[in-house]
Each structure stands twice: as structure tokens, then as C-alpha cells.
């Protein structure tokens, strides 16, 4: 959802801060918010799912409050809470109507209609939940006045209002996130670090007698039966990491009691390469040479060759 967030994030923050409009409606009724009459002039010409619709609106479009509503209703099923919506957007400069961004020709963006979105941006959440698949939503975001230079910071130029038209292409239930690995146990070959669970179910890694790796080792300890992970996916995991030289734990998601979620292509190469192709439900032992980790310098205690046990609990 990176391309989408780059455009919507300012609007999302504003909507959280000052979004007004009609009182909250019970789910699953799509709820408009803001100065919706300002969107009455908007006209759409449908061009399918892979080409942005033709959009006409009275310019300049200026709103004091962030504004959102369904401007063209689709004929699909209604979007439900906790689903993931596939969407495409086209964004315009509200002052002159020029196109700012168009994601229609690209892969659909994913918008999770979860409690995090409901808390962080209830206006966006309420507009999507209850809308029909195939619908077009219009989001008008107020412009910003120029900010003078201060404390060494350069002057921030004025930003015009934006009009963002969003099409809901599909909606489906969010993939299940497991609480622990599920699958078939695998006996690893000799010579690798050994892994046992303590009385709290946390993996404990022993590296005694293990030689430094000459290449990345990615060994299933439990082979899950879920979907395969791609390098471009976002994964939800539990993990423990130790330095091979000392056997000391330097990081563990179990310490916080919360699963970790992150894009697989945004972590060290040993994780990206070692987890790509693995399946949801798997417990994976990674023995990572330093050149695929943080190198000799390391990060804190994560220096040199590293060993991880990673439970792949979800993917999106």
C-alpha cells in the first residue's frame, strides 16, 4: 500500500484530526463526512478497472474540512469490517485539475479495514465499510498555506487541495494470522543449531559446536501448509535471534508479547532470501552469514553471523 499511502497519508491524518459530518452510522452503512455538497459537481465517466475514470469537477475545489462520500455506487457485495479492499485511485490538483497520481494501470492497492484503521482514521473506515464493490468514492483534502522558514528549517510552500477518486475493485476477508506454527515437523540435518521450546513455548536456540556458515541456511523445522511467501509480501511473524559467536539473544518478538509485521523486502537480505518461498505455518531456522546480515560492525549485539528461528504466522 506504499503508493497509496504516499498520496493518502496527509489526508488520513487530517481526517483523523478534524473529519466532521454526519453522526456515526451503524455498520455496514457507508458514511459520508465533511462538506459533501462541494462534491455535487463531480461527474465520472467509467472506463473499467484498469483505466482511470474520466473526472470533471468545478475548479477550484476548496474545502475547509476533509470530505468523503460515495459518488457512484457499484453493484457488488457490500464491504465488511475486517476485510481487505482492493482499490485503485486517481488524484487531482484541486486548484487546476491536473493529475497528481494514477494507480489504475498498476496492481491494485490493498486497504485493510481493521481496528487499526478504524481507530486511526474512522472517517476513511466508515466510508468504506458498507460501500458496494464497484463503487467510486471521492475524497477532498484541504490545501495548506505556506509556512515561513523557522529554526533553520526552509520555507514550506503552499499545497493546493486534492481530489482523490477511489474505486473499490474487490473485497475479501483478511488472511488468517496464526497464533503459532502449524504443520508437519521436519528433522533438520546434523551440524545446525538446535532448537527447543521452553515452558512458555518460546524457541531456545543452542549454537554450541556450530561452524560458521559459508552460505545462507534456511531450514524448515515445521513445514506449514499455508500459502507461499513472496519477497514482495508483508509477513507477520514471531522470532528469536542470536549471535552465532556468542549464542546470546539480541532480539525476540516474544519479549514484547506482540507479533511483528513488516515487508519482507525491507529487512536484512538473509531474511528476504531465506523466507521467500516458505509457507505460512512454518517454523524456519535461518543461519545467516554476516554479509547477508549487518556485517562485522553489526547493530548492537547483532554482529557477525546470525541465527534466527522465525515462525511465519501470516502473509499479505
Amino acid at each position: 500500500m506504499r503508493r497509496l499511502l504516499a498520496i493518502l497519508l496527509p489526508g488520513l491524518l487530517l481526517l483523523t484530526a478534524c473529519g466532521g459530518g454526519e453522526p456515526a452510522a451503524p455498520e455496514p452503512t457507508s458514511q459520508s463526512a465533511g462538506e459533501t455538497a462541494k462534491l455535487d459537481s463531480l461527474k465520472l465517466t467509467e472506463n473499467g478497472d484498469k483505466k482511470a475514470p474520466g473526472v470533471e469537477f468545478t475548479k477550484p475545489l476548496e474545502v475547509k474540512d476533509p470530505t468523503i462520500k460515495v459518488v457512484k455506487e457499484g453493484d457488488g457485495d457490500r464491504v465488511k469490517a475486517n476485510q481487505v479492499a482492493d482499490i485503485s485511485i486517481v488524484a487531482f490538483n484541486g486548484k487546476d485539475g491536473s493529475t497528481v497520481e494514477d494507480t489504475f494501470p498498476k496492481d491494485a492497492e490493498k486497504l485493510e479495514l481493521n481496528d487499526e484503521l478504524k481507530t486511526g482514521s474512522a472517517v476513511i473506515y466508515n466510508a468504506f465499510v458498507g460501500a458496494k464493490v464497484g463503487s467510486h468514492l471521492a475524497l477532498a483534502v484541504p490545501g495548506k498555506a505556506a509556512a515561513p522558514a523557522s529554526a533553520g528549517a526552509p520555507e514550506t510552500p503552499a499545497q493546493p487541495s486534492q481530489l482523490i477518486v477511489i474505486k473499490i475493485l474487490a473485497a475479501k476477508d483478511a488472511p488468517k494470522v496464526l497464533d503459532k506454527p502449524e504443520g508437519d515437523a521436519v528433522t533438520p540435518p546434523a551440524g545446525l543449531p538446535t532448537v527447543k521450546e521452553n515452558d512458555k513455548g518460546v524457541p531456545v536456540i543452542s549454537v554450541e559446536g556450530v561452524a560458521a556458515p559459508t552460505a545462507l541456511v534456511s531450514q524448515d523445522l515445521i513445514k506449514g501448509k499455508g500459502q507461499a511467501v513472496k519477497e514482495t509480501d508483508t509477513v507477520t511473524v514471531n522470532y528469536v535471534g542470536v549471535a552465532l559467536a556468542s549464542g546470546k539473544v539480541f532480539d525476540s518478538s516474544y519479549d514484547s508479547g506482540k507479533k511483528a509485521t513488516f515487508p519482507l523486502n525491507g529487512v536484512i537480505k538473509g531474511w528476504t532470501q531465506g523466507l521467500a518461498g516458505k509457507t505460512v505455518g512454518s517454523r524456519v531456522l535461518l543461519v545467516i552469514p554476516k554479509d547477508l546480515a549487518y556485517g562485522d560492525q553489526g547493530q548492537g549485539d547483532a554482529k557477525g553471523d546470525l541465527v534466527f528461528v522465525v515462525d511465519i504466522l501470516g502473509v499479505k
Side-chain angles (χ1 to χ4, degrees), residues 253-285:
S253 63
Y254 291 94
D255 291 344
S256 66
K258 296 181 180 178
K259 304 178 184 74
T261 299
F262 45 77
L264 190 56
N265 58 9
V267 290
I268 59 174
K269 292 180 180 179
W271 272 59
T272 306
Q273 297 175 14
L275 296 184
K278 298 298 183 181
T279 50
V280 174
S282 295
R283 169 169 287 178
V284 183
L285 173 67

Side-chain angles (χ1 to χ4, degrees), residues 101-113:
E101 177 74 2
D102 178 6
T103 72
F104 273 81
K106 306 171 186 176
D107 291 339
E109 305 282 356
K110 304 288 185 182
L111 182 64
E112 294 185 64
L113 302 168

